Amino acid sequence: MPRRLIIMRHARSAWGGAGSSDHERSLDERGRYEAPRVATRLAERGWVPEAIHSSDARRTRETAELLMEAFAPAPSLTFDPDLYLAGLPALCAAAQAWDPSWSTVLALGHNPGWQDAASSLCGSVLGMGTANAVLLEARPGAPAGWSEALLGEWSLVDVLRPEDL
């Protein structure tokens, strides 16, 4: 099976009141509705990750928990503070710890970093709204290690958008 990467932006979040930080923003009602719909579509398409590697922000934590409900078997779940508002360099660094036997990983984070990472990997300019998931496959001959594979070229398979489901 080819190596597959799902780059997903967190579901829609609420804008906090005075005194709340960006890191602590939670999902709004629409976000809590959309995340499981995207996860269900991923599962229907056979794109169930062995691992979810996520930013540690509250909105990504909540999105990840909603995604987990649709996946069986349940993937490994890691919350990484280095992925908060990060992009491809931080994703490559995180991938050094990923198990090379995993065929599918879901990376959950934020824009603009995630949209830039997905665009860079597939060579196409992509826009990523909230709860969008970019499905990528490593091109044949990709290195065995995840961090090395992320330095190569990937094929864009699809972009899942909640409004299209």
Side-chain angles (χ1 to χ4, degrees):
M1 176 178 281
R3 188 175 301 277
R4 301 183 303 183
L5 177 65
I6 304 161
I7 297 181
M8 184 171 176
R9 185 174 173 204
H10 63 80
R12 187 172 150 178
S13 60
W15 287 94
S20 66
S21 72
D22 178 71
H23 193 269
E24 291 305 314
R25 284 193 292 131
S26 65
L27 296 183
D28 68 9
E29 185 176 326
R30 187 173 105 188
R32 286 188 292 277
Y33 171 74
E34 290 178 341
R37 292 181 68 219
V38 172
T40 298
R41 181 55 57 95
L42 286 167
E44 289 170 354
R45 293 186 66 168
W47 282 66
V48 176
E50 285 100 345
I52 297 175
H53 202 100
S54 175
S55 158
D56 70 338
R58 182 174 176 185
R59 59 192 178 275
T60 51
R61 285 179 172 272
E62 291 176 0
T63 301
E65 290 165 6
L66 292 166
L67 297 175
M68 295 284 286
E69 295 173 11
F71 298 140
S76 162
L77 177 59
T78 303
F79 294 109
D80 185 345
D82 292 335
L83 293 187
Y84 176 63
L85 302 179
L88 187 56
L91 187 60
C92 288
Q96 291 177 11
W98 295 354
D99 187 328
S101 71
W102 292 338
S103 62
T104 305
V105 173
L106 189 151
L108 184 60
H110 312 268
N111 268 357
W114 254 215
Q115 156 177 304
D116 293 345
S119 297
S120 178
L121 289 170
C122 72
S124 297
V125 177
L126 301 172
M128 287 184 71
T130 53
N132 283 197
V134 174
L135 284 54
L136 301 169
E137 277 189 356
R139 300 238 170 114
W146 274 99
S147 58
E148 296 84 9
L150 287 176
L151 298 175
E153 294 181 14
W154 292 70
S155 298
L156 176 63
V157 175
D158 202 358
V159 179
L160 299 182
R161 295 177 178 89
E163 61 270 17
D164 297 336
L165 304 180

